mmCIF file of all heavy atoms in Angstrom:
data_model
loop_
_atom_site.group_PDB
_atom_site.id
_atom_site.type_symbol
_atom_site.label_atom_id
_atom_site.label_comp_id
_atom_site.label_asym_id
_atom_site.label_seq_id
_atom_site.Cartn_x
_atom_site.Cartn_y
_atom_site.Cartn_z
ATOM 1 N N HIS A 1210 0.844 -1.221 0.005
ATOM 2 C CA HIS A 1210 0.005 0.015 -0.014
ATOM 3 C C HIS A 1210 0.893 1.258 -0.007
ATOM 4 O O HIS A 1210 0.560 2.205 -0.694
ATOM 5 C CB HIS A 1210 -0.903 -0.010 1.217
ATOM 6 C CG HIS A 1210 -1.866 -1.170 1.297
ATOM 7 N ND1 HIS A 1210 -2.849 -1.355 0.317
ATOM 8 C CD2 HIS A 1210 -1.878 -2.269 2.142
ATOM 9 C CE1 HIS A 1210 -3.533 -2.484 0.630
ATOM 10 N NE2 HIS A 1210 -2.952 -3.050 1.704
ATOM 11 N N LEU A 1211 1.995 1.203 0.760
ATOM 12 C CA LEU A 1211 2.873 2.353 0.785
ATOM 13 C C LEU A 1211 3.624 2.478 -0.537
ATOM 14 O O LEU A 1211 3.898 3.604 -0.957
ATOM 15 C CB LEU A 1211 3.847 2.231 1.945
ATOM 16 C CG LEU A 1211 3.290 2.387 3.344
ATOM 17 C CD1 LEU A 1211 4.388 2.407 4.365
ATOM 18 C CD2 LEU A 1211 2.419 3.655 3.473
ATOM 19 N N MET A 1212 3.880 1.356 -1.213
ATOM 20 C CA MET A 1212 4.551 1.513 -2.502
ATOM 21 C C MET A 1212 3.632 2.099 -3.551
ATOM 22 O O MET A 1212 4.084 2.850 -4.432
ATOM 23 C CB MET A 1212 5.011 0.077 -2.955
ATOM 24 C CG MET A 1212 6.208 -0.468 -2.150
ATOM 25 S SD MET A 1212 7.701 0.559 -2.176
ATOM 26 C CE MET A 1212 7.487 1.526 -0.643
ATOM 27 N N GLU A 1213 2.327 1.843 -3.447
ATOM 28 C CA GLU A 1213 1.374 2.456 -4.356
ATOM 29 C C GLU A 1213 1.337 3.953 -4.053
ATOM 30 O O GLU A 1213 1.258 4.780 -4.996
ATOM 31 C CB GLU A 1213 -0.039 1.851 -4.139
ATOM 32 C CG GLU A 1213 -0.128 0.450 -4.635
ATOM 33 C CD GLU A 1213 -1.516 -0.137 -4.417
ATOM 34 O OE1 GLU A 1213 -2.421 0.601 -4.005
ATOM 35 O OE2 GLU A 1213 -1.708 -1.330 -4.701
ATOM 36 N N LEU A 1214 1.383 4.307 -2.776
ATOM 37 C CA LEU A 1214 1.353 5.730 -2.397
ATOM 38 C C LEU A 1214 2.618 6.429 -2.917
ATOM 39 O O LEU A 1214 2.585 7.526 -3.505
ATOM 40 C CB LEU A 1214 1.285 5.820 -0.855
ATOM 41 C CG LEU A 1214 1.331 7.257 -0.229
ATOM 42 C CD1 LEU A 1214 0.092 7.971 -0.668
ATOM 43 C CD2 LEU A 1214 1.420 7.132 1.274
ATOM 44 N N GLU A 1215 3.786 5.763 -2.750
ATOM 45 C CA GLU A 1215 5.048 6.330 -3.199
ATOM 46 C C GLU A 1215 5.046 6.529 -4.691
ATOM 47 O O GLU A 1215 5.510 7.555 -5.228
ATOM 48 C CB GLU A 1215 6.207 5.412 -2.787
ATOM 49 C CG GLU A 1215 7.553 5.959 -3.097
ATOM 50 C CD GLU A 1215 8.042 5.664 -4.476
ATOM 51 O OE1 GLU A 1215 7.576 4.621 -5.104
ATOM 52 O OE2 GLU A 1215 8.896 6.399 -5.031
ATOM 53 N N LYS A 1216 4.532 5.518 -5.421
ATOM 54 C CA LYS A 1216 4.581 5.608 -6.846
ATOM 55 C C LYS A 1216 3.643 6.746 -7.374
ATOM 56 O O LYS A 1216 4.020 7.407 -8.346
ATOM 57 C CB LYS A 1216 4.035 4.272 -7.441
ATOM 58 C CG LYS A 1216 4.146 4.184 -8.956
ATOM 59 C CD LYS A 1216 3.680 2.833 -9.443
ATOM 60 C CE LYS A 1216 3.798 2.695 -10.977
ATOM 61 N NZ LYS A 1216 3.398 1.372 -11.476
ATOM 62 N N SER A 1217 2.532 6.987 -6.700
ATOM 63 C CA SER A 1217 1.615 8.042 -7.158
ATOM 64 C C SER A 1217 2.186 9.442 -6.933
ATOM 65 O O SER A 1217 1.740 10.402 -7.564
ATOM 66 C CB SER A 1217 0.284 7.884 -6.359
ATOM 67 O OG SER A 1217 0.422 8.237 -5.055
ATOM 68 N N LEU A 1218 3.156 9.506 -6.056
ATOM 69 C CA LEU A 1218 3.731 10.823 -5.698
ATOM 70 C C LEU A 1218 5.230 10.966 -6.139
ATOM 71 O O LEU A 1218 5.827 12.010 -5.873
ATOM 72 C CB LEU A 1218 3.648 11.094 -4.210
ATOM 73 C CG LEU A 1218 2.244 11.285 -3.651
ATOM 74 C CD1 LEU A 1218 2.199 11.034 -2.133
ATOM 75 C CD2 LEU A 1218 1.771 12.717 -3.934
ATOM 76 N N ARG A 1219 5.718 9.998 -6.814
ATOM 77 C CA ARG A 1219 7.162 9.948 -7.221
ATOM 78 C C ARG A 1219 7.600 11.118 -7.991
ATOM 79 O O ARG A 1219 8.728 11.615 -7.861
ATOM 80 C CB ARG A 1219 7.403 8.655 -7.921
ATOM 81 C CG ARG A 1219 8.901 8.391 -8.168
ATOM 82 C CD ARG A 1219 9.058 7.032 -8.876
ATOM 83 N NE ARG A 1219 8.536 5.944 -8.037
ATOM 84 C CZ ARG A 1219 8.441 4.677 -8.519
ATOM 85 N NH1 ARG A 1219 8.683 4.383 -9.731
ATOM 86 N NH2 ARG A 1219 7.977 3.730 -7.682
ATOM 87 N N ASP A 1220 6.716 11.617 -8.848
ATOM 88 C CA ASP A 1220 7.110 12.718 -9.712
ATOM 89 C C ASP A 1220 6.884 14.136 -9.152
ATOM 90 O O ASP A 1220 7.136 15.150 -9.817
ATOM 91 C CB ASP A 1220 6.341 12.650 -11.090
ATOM 92 C CG ASP A 1220 6.681 11.428 -11.876
ATOM 93 O OD1 ASP A 1220 7.804 10.930 -11.717
ATOM 94 O OD2 ASP A 1220 5.809 10.911 -12.581
ATOM 95 N N ASN A 1221 6.431 14.186 -7.893
ATOM 96 C CA ASN A 1221 6.295 15.481 -7.230
ATOM 97 C C ASN A 1221 7.533 15.917 -6.584
ATOM 98 O O ASN A 1221 8.005 15.266 -5.575
ATOM 99 C CB ASN A 1221 5.136 15.370 -6.167
ATOM 100 C CG ASN A 1221 4.710 16.694 -5.638
ATOM 101 O OD1 ASN A 1221 5.512 17.611 -5.489
ATOM 102 N ND2 ASN A 1221 3.405 16.867 -5.395
ATOM 103 N N PRO A 1222 8.171 16.965 -7.014
ATOM 104 C CA PRO A 1222 9.476 17.386 -6.487
ATOM 105 C C PRO A 1222 9.433 17.911 -5.027
ATOM 106 O O PRO A 1222 10.475 18.050 -4.433
ATOM 107 C CB PRO A 1222 9.901 18.501 -7.466
ATOM 108 C CG PRO A 1222 8.608 19.039 -8.017
ATOM 109 C CD PRO A 1222 7.701 17.880 -8.099
ATOM 110 N N ASP A 1223 8.220 18.207 -4.563
ATOM 111 C CA ASP A 1223 8.018 18.753 -3.265
ATOM 112 C C ASP A 1223 7.802 17.641 -2.209
ATOM 113 O O ASP A 1223 7.599 17.978 -0.986
ATOM 114 C CB ASP A 1223 6.877 19.725 -3.198
ATOM 115 C CG ASP A 1223 7.213 20.995 -4.065
ATOM 116 O OD1 ASP A 1223 8.353 21.378 -4.047
ATOM 117 O OD2 ASP A 1223 6.260 21.463 -4.707
ATOM 118 N N PHE A 1224 7.782 16.389 -2.623
ATOM 119 C CA PHE A 1224 7.512 15.292 -1.665
ATOM 120 C C PHE A 1224 8.640 14.259 -1.730
ATOM 121 O O PHE A 1224 9.164 13.926 -2.780
ATOM 122 C CB PHE A 1224 6.194 14.614 -2.067
ATOM 123 C CG PHE A 1224 5.886 13.424 -1.218
ATOM 124 C CD1 PHE A 1224 5.448 13.525 0.091
ATOM 125 C CD2 PHE A 1224 6.104 12.105 -1.692
ATOM 126 C CE1 PHE A 1224 5.214 12.433 0.895
ATOM 127 C CE2 PHE A 1224 5.865 10.986 -0.919
ATOM 128 C CZ PHE A 1224 5.365 11.178 0.416
ATOM 129 N N LEU A 1225 8.931 13.662 -0.574
ATOM 130 C CA LEU A 1225 9.919 12.591 -0.460
ATOM 131 C C LEU A 1225 9.332 11.459 0.355
ATOM 132 O O LEU A 1225 8.731 11.661 1.404
ATOM 133 C CB LEU A 1225 11.204 13.075 0.191
ATOM 134 C CG LEU A 1225 12.130 13.993 -0.645
ATOM 135 C CD1 LEU A 1225 13.329 14.433 0.252
ATOM 136 C CD2 LEU A 1225 12.677 13.262 -1.844
ATOM 137 N N PHE A 1226 9.582 10.254 -0.170
ATOM 138 C CA PHE A 1226 9.184 9.043 0.576
ATOM 139 C C PHE A 1226 10.461 8.429 1.104
ATOM 140 O O PHE A 1226 11.379 8.115 0.317
ATOM 141 C CB PHE A 1226 8.447 8.086 -0.301
ATOM 142 C CG PHE A 1226 8.011 6.795 0.355
ATOM 143 C CD1 PHE A 1226 6.709 6.692 0.823
ATOM 144 C CD2 PHE A 1226 8.824 5.713 0.496
ATOM 145 C CE1 PHE A 1226 6.289 5.534 1.476
ATOM 146 C CE2 PHE A 1226 8.494 4.527 1.129
ATOM 147 C CZ PHE A 1226 7.177 4.481 1.589
ATOM 148 N N ILE A 1227 10.584 8.249 2.391
ATOM 149 C CA ILE A 1227 11.832 7.714 3.032
ATOM 150 C C ILE A 1227 11.516 6.419 3.676
ATOM 151 O O ILE A 1227 10.798 6.388 4.660
ATOM 152 C CB ILE A 1227 12.414 8.731 4.011
ATOM 153 C CG1 ILE A 1227 12.686 10.106 3.319
ATOM 154 C CG2 ILE A 1227 13.660 8.227 4.606
ATOM 155 C CD1 ILE A 1227 13.110 11.207 4.211
ATOM 156 N N SER A 1228 12.133 5.356 3.236
ATOM 157 C CA SER A 1228 11.907 4.015 3.756
ATOM 158 C C SER A 1228 13.121 3.633 4.616
ATOM 159 O O SER A 1228 14.264 3.555 4.094
ATOM 160 C CB SER A 1228 11.765 3.026 2.524
ATOM 161 O OG SER A 1228 11.603 1.736 3.037
ATOM 162 N N VAL A 1229 12.858 3.381 5.900
ATOM 163 C CA VAL A 1229 13.927 3.065 6.828
ATOM 164 C C VAL A 1229 13.753 1.613 7.286
ATOM 165 O O VAL A 1229 12.811 1.318 8.066
ATOM 166 C CB VAL A 1229 13.872 4.035 8.056
ATOM 167 C CG1 VAL A 1229 15.066 3.720 9.033
ATOM 168 C CG2 VAL A 1229 13.991 5.448 7.586
ATOM 169 N N ALA A 1230 14.594 0.770 6.833
ATOM 170 C CA ALA A 1230 14.492 -0.675 7.200
ATOM 171 C C ALA A 1230 15.278 -0.954 8.472
ATOM 172 O O ALA A 1230 16.362 -0.384 8.692
ATOM 173 C CB ALA A 1230 15.029 -1.538 6.035
ATOM 174 N N SER A 1231 14.778 -1.892 9.251
ATOM 175 C CA SER A 1231 15.360 -2.186 10.542
ATOM 176 C C SER A 1231 15.521 -3.684 10.790
ATOM 177 O O SER A 1231 14.761 -4.504 10.247
ATOM 178 C CB SER A 1231 14.470 -1.628 11.738
ATOM 179 O OG SER A 1231 14.957 -2.019 12.960
ATOM 180 N N SER A 1232 16.500 -4.027 11.616
ATOM 181 C CA SER A 1232 16.683 -5.438 12.003
ATOM 182 C C SER A 1232 15.743 -5.825 13.126
ATOM 183 O O SER A 1232 15.599 -7.011 13.382
ATOM 184 C CB SER A 1232 18.130 -5.602 12.519
ATOM 185 O OG SER A 1232 18.348 -4.882 13.708
ATOM 186 N N GLY A 1233 15.111 -4.832 13.756
ATOM 187 C CA GLY A 1233 14.206 -5.128 14.887
ATOM 188 C C GLY A 1233 14.876 -4.988 16.240
ATOM 189 O O GLY A 1233 14.212 -4.948 17.235
ATOM 190 N N ASP A 1234 16.167 -4.771 16.217
ATOM 191 C CA ASP A 1234 16.941 -4.598 17.477
ATOM 192 C C ASP A 1234 17.229 -3.114 17.575
ATOM 193 O O ASP A 1234 18.083 -2.589 16.902
ATOM 194 C CB ASP A 1234 18.210 -5.435 17.419
ATOM 195 C CG ASP A 1234 19.064 -5.204 18.688
ATOM 196 O OD1 ASP A 1234 18.615 -4.480 19.603
ATOM 197 O OD2 ASP A 1234 20.170 -5.817 18.734
ATOM 198 N N PRO A 1235 16.592 -2.415 18.567
ATOM 199 C CA PRO A 1235 16.815 -0.986 18.711
ATOM 200 C C PRO A 1235 18.261 -0.594 19.175
ATOM 201 O O PRO A 1235 18.573 0.560 19.162
ATOM 202 C CB PRO A 1235 15.786 -0.554 19.734
ATOM 203 C CG PRO A 1235 15.499 -1.793 20.499
ATOM 204 C CD PRO A 1235 15.592 -2.913 19.525
ATOM 205 N N ASN A 1236 19.029 -1.594 19.585
ATOM 206 C CA ASN A 1236 20.400 -1.326 20.025
ATOM 207 C C ASN A 1236 21.422 -1.680 18.941
ATOM 208 O O ASN A 1236 22.630 -1.548 19.211
ATOM 209 C CB ASN A 1236 20.688 -2.106 21.306
ATOM 210 C CG ASN A 1236 19.800 -1.735 22.489
ATOM 211 O OD1 ASN A 1236 19.620 -0.526 22.713
ATOM 212 N ND2 ASN A 1236 19.187 -2.699 23.129
ATOM 213 N N SER A 1237 20.979 -2.090 17.791
ATOM 214 C CA SER A 1237 21.879 -2.509 16.731
ATOM 215 C C SER A 1237 22.431 -1.291 15.971
ATOM 216 O O SER A 1237 21.750 -0.304 15.814
ATOM 217 C CB SER A 1237 21.186 -3.411 15.741
ATOM 218 O OG SER A 1237 21.976 -3.589 14.581
ATOM 219 N N ASP A 1238 23.690 -1.414 15.518
ATOM 220 C CA ASP A 1238 24.262 -0.339 14.692
ATOM 221 C C ASP A 1238 23.803 -0.486 13.229
ATOM 222 O O ASP A 1238 24.141 0.366 12.378
ATOM 223 C CB ASP A 1238 25.771 -0.229 14.813
ATOM 224 C CG ASP A 1238 26.496 -1.553 14.482
ATOM 225 O OD1 ASP A 1238 25.773 -2.453 13.831
ATOM 226 O OD2 ASP A 1238 27.646 -1.757 14.797
ATOM 227 N N GLU A 1239 23.061 -1.508 12.919
ATOM 228 C CA GLU A 1239 22.465 -1.778 11.622
ATOM 229 C C GLU A 1239 23.484 -1.839 10.433
ATOM 230 O O GLU A 1239 23.094 -1.537 9.326
ATOM 231 C CB GLU A 1239 21.405 -0.673 11.332
ATOM 232 C CG GLU A 1239 20.345 -0.563 12.390
ATOM 233 C CD GLU A 1239 19.378 -1.746 12.500
ATOM 234 O OE1 GLU A 1239 19.846 -2.837 12.564
ATOM 235 O OE2 GLU A 1239 18.130 -1.547 12.502
ATOM 236 N N ASP A 1240 24.709 -2.249 10.749
ATOM 237 C CA ASP A 1240 25.660 -2.400 9.652
ATOM 238 C C ASP A 1240 25.872 -3.838 9.259
ATOM 239 O O ASP A 1240 26.832 -4.168 8.511
ATOM 240 C CB ASP A 1240 27.025 -1.744 10.087
ATOM 241 C CG ASP A 1240 27.695 -2.546 11.222
ATOM 242 O OD1 ASP A 1240 27.048 -3.396 11.806
ATOM 243 O OD2 ASP A 1240 28.893 -2.207 11.516
ATOM 244 N N ASP A 1241 24.960 -4.713 9.671
ATOM 245 C CA ASP A 1241 25.004 -6.106 9.324
ATOM 246 C C ASP A 1241 24.670 -6.315 7.828
ATOM 247 O O ASP A 1241 23.578 -5.931 7.444
ATOM 248 C CB ASP A 1241 24.094 -6.926 10.193
ATOM 249 C CG ASP A 1241 24.195 -8.437 10.022
ATOM 250 O OD1 ASP A 1241 24.934 -8.854 9.077
ATOM 251 O OD2 ASP A 1241 23.547 -9.134 10.724
ATOM 252 N N PRO A 1242 25.569 -6.853 7.016
ATOM 253 C CA PRO A 1242 25.211 -7.116 5.646
ATOM 254 C C PRO A 1242 23.947 -7.972 5.458
ATOM 255 O O PRO A 1242 23.279 -7.871 4.466
ATOM 256 C CB PRO A 1242 26.468 -7.880 5.125
ATOM 257 C CG PRO A 1242 27.583 -7.458 6.020
ATOM 258 C CD PRO A 1242 26.910 -7.317 7.371
ATOM 259 N N ASP A 1243 23.613 -8.810 6.450
ATOM 260 C CA ASP A 1243 22.427 -9.644 6.383
ATOM 261 C C ASP A 1243 21.176 -8.833 6.328
ATOM 262 O O ASP A 1243 20.278 -9.160 5.619
ATOM 263 C CB ASP A 1243 22.415 -10.602 7.594
ATOM 264 C CG ASP A 1243 21.324 -11.648 7.476
ATOM 265 O OD1 ASP A 1243 21.358 -12.382 6.437
ATOM 266 O OD2 ASP A 1243 20.449 -11.759 8.356
ATOM 267 N N LEU A 1244 21.164 -7.704 7.044
ATOM 268 C CA LEU A 1244 20.018 -6.768 6.970
ATOM 269 C C LEU A 1244 19.869 -6.184 5.607
ATOM 270 O O LEU A 1244 18.753 -6.141 5.024
ATOM 271 C CB LEU A 1244 20.148 -5.660 8.019
ATOM 272 C CG LEU A 1244 19.094 -4.527 7.902
ATOM 273 C CD1 LEU A 1244 17.713 -5.096 8.125
ATOM 274 C CD2 LEU A 1244 19.423 -3.400 8.918
ATOM 275 N N ARG A 1245 20.954 -5.763 5.044
ATOM 276 C CA ARG A 1245 20.917 -5.209 3.687
ATOM 277 C C ARG A 1245 20.506 -6.284 2.671
ATOM 278 O O ARG A 1245 19.641 -6.005 1.804
ATOM 279 C CB ARG A 1245 22.305 -4.675 3.290
ATOM 280 C CG ARG A 1245 22.350 -3.987 1.913
ATOM 281 C CD ARG A 1245 23.643 -3.313 1.585
ATOM 282 N NE ARG A 1245 24.734 -4.301 1.655
ATOM 283 C CZ ARG A 1245 25.690 -4.392 2.611
ATOM 284 N NH1 ARG A 1245 25.629 -3.564 3.607
ATOM 285 N NH2 ARG A 1245 26.625 -5.328 2.522
ATOM 286 N N ASP A 1246 21.036 -7.447 2.759
ATOM 287 C CA ASP A 1246 20.730 -8.517 1.801
ATOM 288 C C ASP A 1246 19.283 -8.912 1.856
ATOM 289 O O ASP A 1246 18.568 -9.123 0.836
ATOM 290 C CB ASP A 1246 21.615 -9.703 2.016
ATOM 291 C CG ASP A 1246 23.087 -9.391 1.710
ATOM 292 O OD1 ASP A 1246 23.341 -8.371 1.016
ATOM 293 O OD2 ASP A 1246 23.978 -10.176 2.137
ATOM 294 N N LYS A 1247 18.737 -9.104 3.091
ATOM 295 C CA LYS A 1247 17.361 -9.566 3.295
ATOM 296 C C LYS A 1247 16.368 -8.428 2.839
ATOM 297 O O LYS A 1247 15.333 -8.687 2.303
ATOM 298 C CB LYS A 1247 17.122 -9.991 4.701
ATOM 299 C CG LYS A 1247 17.716 -11.373 5.042
ATOM 300 C CD LYS A 1247 17.242 -11.814 6.427
ATOM 301 C CE LYS A 1247 17.537 -13.323 6.614
ATOM 302 N NZ LYS A 1247 18.934 -13.651 6.530
ATOM 303 N N THR A 1248 16.806 -7.228 3.110
ATOM 304 C CA THR A 1248 15.925 -6.065 2.724
ATOM 305 C C THR A 1248 15.889 -6.003 1.193
ATOM 306 O O THR A 1248 14.831 -5.821 0.607
ATOM 307 C CB THR A 1248 16.422 -4.756 3.283
ATOM 308 O OG1 THR A 1248 16.398 -4.828 4.738
ATOM 309 C CG2 THR A 1248 15.598 -3.597 2.832
ATOM 310 N N GLN A 1249 17.051 -6.150 0.552
ATOM 311 C CA GLN A 1249 17.054 -6.101 -0.890
ATOM 312 C C GLN A 1249 16.308 -7.226 -1.504
ATOM 313 O O GLN A 1249 15.612 -7.048 -2.541
ATOM 314 C CB GLN A 1249 18.513 -6.142 -1.387
ATOM 315 C CG GLN A 1249 18.671 -5.940 -2.901
ATOM 316 C CD GLN A 1249 18.063 -4.647 -3.391
ATOM 317 O OE1 GLN A 1249 18.562 -3.581 -3.070
ATOM 318 N NE2 GLN A 1249 17.020 -4.704 -4.198
ATOM 319 N N SER A 1250 16.368 -8.429 -0.921
ATOM 320 C CA SER A 1250 15.619 -9.556 -1.432
ATOM 321 C C SER A 1250 14.133 -9.292 -1.284
ATOM 322 O O SER A 1250 13.364 -9.626 -2.225
ATOM 323 C CB SER A 1250 15.967 -10.801 -0.630
ATOM 324 O OG SER A 1250 17.326 -11.183 -0.869
ATOM 325 N N PHE A 1251 13.739 -8.682 -0.215
ATOM 326 C CA PHE A 1251 12.297 -8.383 -0.010
ATOM 327 C C PHE A 1251 11.851 -7.355 -1.063
ATOM 328 O O PHE A 1251 10.735 -7.487 -1.632
ATOM 329 C CB PHE A 1251 12.083 -7.787 1.424
ATOM 330 C CG PHE A 1251 10.659 -7.503 1.746
ATOM 331 C CD1 PHE A 1251 9.859 -8.456 2.291
ATOM 332 C CD2 PHE A 1251 10.136 -6.231 1.516
ATOM 333 C CE1 PHE A 1251 8.519 -8.189 2.619
ATOM 334 C CE2 PHE A 1251 8.811 -5.952 1.813
ATOM 335 C CZ PHE A 1251 7.996 -6.909 2.366
ATOM 336 N N LEU A 1252 12.678 -6.320 -1.285
ATOM 337 C CA LEU A 1252 12.336 -5.341 -2.348
ATOM 338 C C LEU A 1252 12.221 -5.915 -3.692
ATOM 339 O O LEU A 1252 11.318 -5.652 -4.419
ATOM 340 C CB LEU A 1252 13.381 -4.224 -2.312
ATOM 341 C CG LEU A 1252 13.538 -3.364 -1.043
ATOM 342 C CD1 LEU A 1252 14.738 -2.433 -1.150
ATOM 343 C CD2 LEU A 1252 12.274 -2.588 -0.770
ATOM 344 N N THR A 1253 13.142 -6.812 -3.993
ATOM 345 C CA THR A 1253 13.139 -7.487 -5.351
ATOM 346 C C THR A 1253 11.894 -8.351 -5.450
ATOM 347 O O THR A 1253 11.277 -8.322 -6.485
ATOM 348 C CB THR A 1253 14.418 -8.340 -5.460
ATOM 349 O OG1 THR A 1253 15.613 -7.479 -5.399
ATOM 350 C CG2 THR A 1253 14.406 -9.037 -6.825
ATOM 351 N N GLU A 1254 11.581 -9.076 -4.367
ATOM 352 C CA GLU A 1254 10.400 -9.970 -4.432
ATOM 353 C C GLU A 1254 9.128 -9.150 -4.724
ATOM 354 O O GLU A 1254 8.249 -9.650 -5.410
ATOM 355 C CB GLU A 1254 10.319 -10.758 -3.119
ATOM 356 C CG GLU A 1254 9.092 -11.632 -3.032
ATOM 357 C CD GLU A 1254 8.957 -12.294 -1.666
ATOM 358 O OE1 GLU A 1254 9.940 -12.228 -0.927
ATOM 359 O OE2 GLU A 1254 7.913 -12.895 -1.430
ATOM 360 N N HIS A 1255 9.090 -7.965 -4.179
ATOM 361 C CA HIS A 1255 7.899 -7.119 -4.300
ATOM 362 C C HIS A 1255 8.009 -6.086 -5.455
ATOM 363 O O HIS A 1255 7.154 -5.197 -5.607
ATOM 364 C CB HIS A 1255 7.577 -6.400 -2.978
ATOM 365 C CG HIS A 1255 7.078 -7.301 -1.910
ATOM 366 N ND1 HIS A 1255 7.921 -8.097 -1.193
ATOM 367 C CD2 HIS A 1255 5.837 -7.547 -1.483
ATOM 368 C CE1 HIS A 1255 7.220 -8.784 -0.323
ATOM 369 N NE2 HIS A 1255 5.955 -8.512 -0.464
#
């Protein structure tokens, strides 16, 4: 649903959609390649 929203506003220069992916651990420095790889796989799948 958010991807549909983002797509409908993508050409508006006054709007930005910012997607922040998380590992679920609020204490993580989020530099684990596994987070990046799994997030990219999810994006590709969708």
Side-chain angles (χ1 to χ4, degrees):
H1210 300 294
L1211 290 187
M1212 288 302 95
E1213 290 180 7
L1214 179 64
E1215 185 275 334
K1216 186 176 181 179
S1217 69
L1218 290 160
R1219 188 177 299 170
D1220 294 331
N1221 190 323
D1223 295 322
F1224 176 77
L1225 285 176
F1226 182 96
I1227 303 173
S1228 179
V1229 182
S1231 172
S1232 65
D1234 178 3
N1236 297 312
S1237 171
D1238 57 15
E1239 304 292 50
D1240 66 350
D1241 184 354
D1243 190 55
L1244 172 60
R1245 182 175 61 252
D1246 293 345
K1247 283 187 167 63
T1248 298
Q1249 184 58 65
S1250 295
F1251 183 89
L1252 297 174
T1253 300
E1254 179 183 348
H1255 289 79

